[in-house]
Amino acid sequence: MGWSESSAVVFVNSVIGARTNRLAAYVDLCAALTGRVPCFGLHLSENRRGEILFELTPDLAANFADHYFPALGYLWGRRSGTRFRSSWGSPGRRSIN
């Protein structure tokens, strides 16, 4: 799947479960014309494995409010850098709306 919007890439990979990379607009245009995308990055299973695990304790996950997500994302990003992140003990299923 070709998708150039960076926030959509996160959504597609994590919520929908599809496989896409952050691509340049001209690559997306080529993908639309040919129906193909280059096989690299997050298209490959070996590049989708977590390199660092973040775990929320049950008491924190039970009391997690929606407005905590931006701070949690910031902290996880600062802590992991460019490593691919995984999480355990998430605060539960959230609505996409």
Side-chain angles (χ1 to χ4, degrees), residues 57-68 91 94:
T57 60
D59 59 323
L60 179 60
N63 298 310
F64 207 82
D66 287 342
H67 59 273
Y68 295 155
R94 298 287 187 194

Side-chain angles (χ1 to χ4, degrees), residues 49-84:
R49 295 188 184 121
E51 299 172 285
I52 185 169
L53 175 67
F54 292 98
E55 185 173 358
L56 290 177
T57 60
D59 59 323
L60 179 60
N63 298 310
F64 207 82
D66 287 342
H67 59 273
Y68 295 155
F69 279 105
L72 184 63
Y74 172 78
L75 292 172
W76 284 1
R78 292 279 295 179
R79 190 82 172 143
S80 59
T82 60
R83 293 178 288 180
F84 198 67

Side-chain angles (χ1 to χ4, degrees), residues 81-95:
T82 60
R83 293 178 288 180
F84 198 67
R85 297 165 282 291
S86 296
S87 62
W88 184 260
S90 67
R93 189 174 192 95
R94 298 287 187 194
S95 171

Side-chain angles (χ1 to χ4, degrees), residues 7-86:
S7 61
V9 169
V10 173
F11 177 79
V12 167
N13 281 312
S14 58
V15 177
I16 296 176
R19 295 176 178 223
T20 189
N21 296 301
R22 169 68 171 93
L23 303 171
Y26 70 89
V27 177
D28 286 331
L29 177 60
C30 292
L33 293 172
T34 65
R36 298 183 175 278
V37 293
C39 187
F40 75 101
L42 294 173
H43 290 140
L44 305 173
S45 295
E46 59 267 21
N47 294 336
R48 297 177 67 84
R49 295 188 184 121
E51 299 172 285
I52 185 169
L53 175 67
F54 292 98
E55 185 173 358
L56 290 177
T57 60
D59 59 323
L60 179 60
N63 298 310
F64 207 82
D66 287 342
H67 59 273
Y68 295 155
F69 279 105
L72 184 63
Y74 172 78
L75 292 172
W76 284 1
R78 292 279 295 179
R79 190 82 172 143
S80 59
T82 60
R83 293 178 288 180
F84 198 67
R85 297 165 282 291
S86 296

